[in-house]
Amino acid sequence: MVRRRSSAYRIRSWPAWVRLLLTYALVVGVALLDSLTGGEVSFSVFYLAPVLFAAWFVRKRVAVAAAVTSSAVWLYFELTTGRVYSSAWIPYWNTLVRLMFFMLTIELASRLQHSLRRERLLGRTDPLTEIANVRRFEEHADYCIADLRRTGRPLTIAYIDLDDFKRVNDSLGHKAGDTLLRTVAQALRSRLRATDLLARVGGDEFGILLPDTDVDGARAILEKTNTALKEAVDGKWPVTQSVGVVTFLDTPHSFDDMIHLADQLMYDGKHAGRARIVQGVWTAEGGMEVTLPLGPARTPVAKSE
């Protein structure tokens, strides 16, 4: 199932000029309400609306400008609606206090937003390799599946397992294993396009999503990543990679089905001797059709049901 994007995400996707216009439309709207009531009804809390909107959906400096404008409008109505003060300086002092309150609100909103963004980033990033984790991988896969359903453009997924990784951990220690994983992640990412997504989906397992990529395009990209990985680990660690690659010409049933099919091809490669990239094509009508495997050995792999 495709996850719906939040209302906040949709608002941030609006053009900047639309969000800026809406900020000042809120200021004008509150000012009009304040002028119509003639000062008998307080609209003080509503002056926060444009300030908070700008702080959350536009940018901090726009929020500051909205705060100054709101404070000035509020002062204007205090001076023109016949309110009586014991001293002439009191409305100006009140305005300064309100402006300071607005500025504090902006700062708190900005820090909260920064914390939430950082939390979202950490929640979708693998802390060891600093690439996407399985949660982000699944979310992005959902969007790619929706795009395939809408446009019909092919989608490819690759599932990578490091051969003999356990031997590295056992003989060289977990610190060396962690270094290997970071090296592999950097090597793979260096040969991918900006539209592709690399994720760590298990202990020594990686996934790659290749949107708008057919069989030939996937073969070319995976050959590049295979070369990059060999260059990165050559002479340092005795590991290779087994890869299952599935190109979807029709919409898969779910993310789990995508992973299962790619994982199945990856294990076909392991059983055929490891260090292989096994590629297949999936259609709703014909199911999985395995093509000739890539890699150092060209031993045919049986067709998967």
Side-chain angles (χ1 to χ4, degrees), residues 138-149:
E138 181 176 358
E139 289 177 346
H140 193 64
D142 285 339
Y143 295 137
C144 291
I145 291 172
D147 184 69
L148 170 57
R149 182 182 295 112

Side-chain angles (χ1 to χ4, degrees), residues 244-301:
V245 187
V246 183
T247 297
F248 292 89
L249 301 183
D250 294 315
T251 306
H253 300 300
S254 67
F255 168 76
D256 290 336
D257 286 341
M258 292 176 65
I259 287 288
H260 172 73
L261 292 169
D263 183 62
Q264 181 180 345
L265 291 191
M266 182 270 291
Y267 274 106
D268 286 345
K270 278 187 176 292
H271 295 154
R274 300 188 176 189
R276 283 165 172 77
I277 303 175
V278 184
Q279 193 171 15
V281 179
W282 188 89
T283 59
E285 219 175 278
M288 175 71 77
E289 180 73 28
V290 178
T291 64
L292 287 177
L294 307 178
R298 295 288 174 173
T299 305
V301 178

Side-chain angles (χ1 to χ4, degrees), residues 132-157:
N133 62 12
V134 67
R135 178 182 177 183
R136 183 181 170 195
F137 192 70
E138 181 176 358
E139 289 177 346
H140 193 64
D142 285 339
Y143 295 137
C144 291
I145 291 172
D147 184 69
L148 170 57
R149 182 182 295 112
R150 184 176 63 255
T151 66
R153 293 194 294 263
L155 167 65
T156 296
I157 183 173

Side-chain angles (χ1 to χ4, degrees), residues 103-273:
M103 299 299 285
L104 177 61
T105 302
I106 292 169
E107 185 63 26
L108 291 176
S110 298
R111 292 192 178 190
L112 175 60
Q113 190 175 56
H114 176 75
S115 297
L116 291 174
R117 285 175 178 171
R118 180 174 176 79
E119 183 180 346
R120 283 196 296 268
L121 177 63
L122 292 175
R124 288 163 173 76
T125 303
D126 175 60
L128 176 62
T129 60
E130 297 182 348
I131 60 175
N133 62 12
V134 67
R135 178 182 177 183
R136 183 181 170 195
F137 192 70
E138 181 176 358
E139 289 177 346
H140 193 64
D142 285 339
Y143 295 137
C144 291
I145 291 172
D147 184 69
L148 170 57
R149 182 182 295 112
R150 184 176 63 255
T151 66
R153 293 194 294 263
L155 167 65
T156 296
I157 183 173
Y159 197 90
I160 302 170
D161 183 87
L162 298 182
D163 303 320
D164 296 319
F165 176 76
K166 185 176 184 301
R167 190 170 67 177
V168 172
N169 266 346
D170 293 342
S171 60
L172 301 177
H174 288 280
K175 187 175 181 179
D178 290 346
T179 301
L180 170 59
L181 291 173
R182 285 192 290 267
T183 301
V184 169
Q186 293 171 6
L188 295 175
R189 185 163 51 183
S190 69
R191 302 301 172 91
L192 296 177
R193 305 165 301 182
T195 55
D196 304 330
L197 179 68
L198 171 67
R200 185 184 178 200
V201 295
D204 62 335
E205 297 168 340
F206 296 85
I208 304 176
L209 280 171
L210 305 170
D212 195 12
T213 305
D214 58 15
V215 174
D216 293 335
R219 179 179 290 113
I221 293 171
L222 268 297
E223 285 180 333
K224 290 179 181 178
T225 59
N226 189 42
T227 300
L229 188 141
K230 287 180 179 178
E231 293 172 351
V233 305
D234 186 37
K236 299 177 182 178
W237 299 281
V239 296
T240 55
Q241 63 172 337
S242 294
V243 188
V245 187
V246 183
T247 297
F248 292 89
L249 301 183
D250 294 315
T251 306
H253 300 300
S254 67
F255 168 76
D256 290 336
D257 286 341
M258 292 176 65
I259 287 288
H260 172 73
L261 292 169
D263 183 62
Q264 181 180 345
L265 291 191
M266 182 270 291
Y267 274 106
D268 286 345
K270 278 187 176 292
H271 295 154

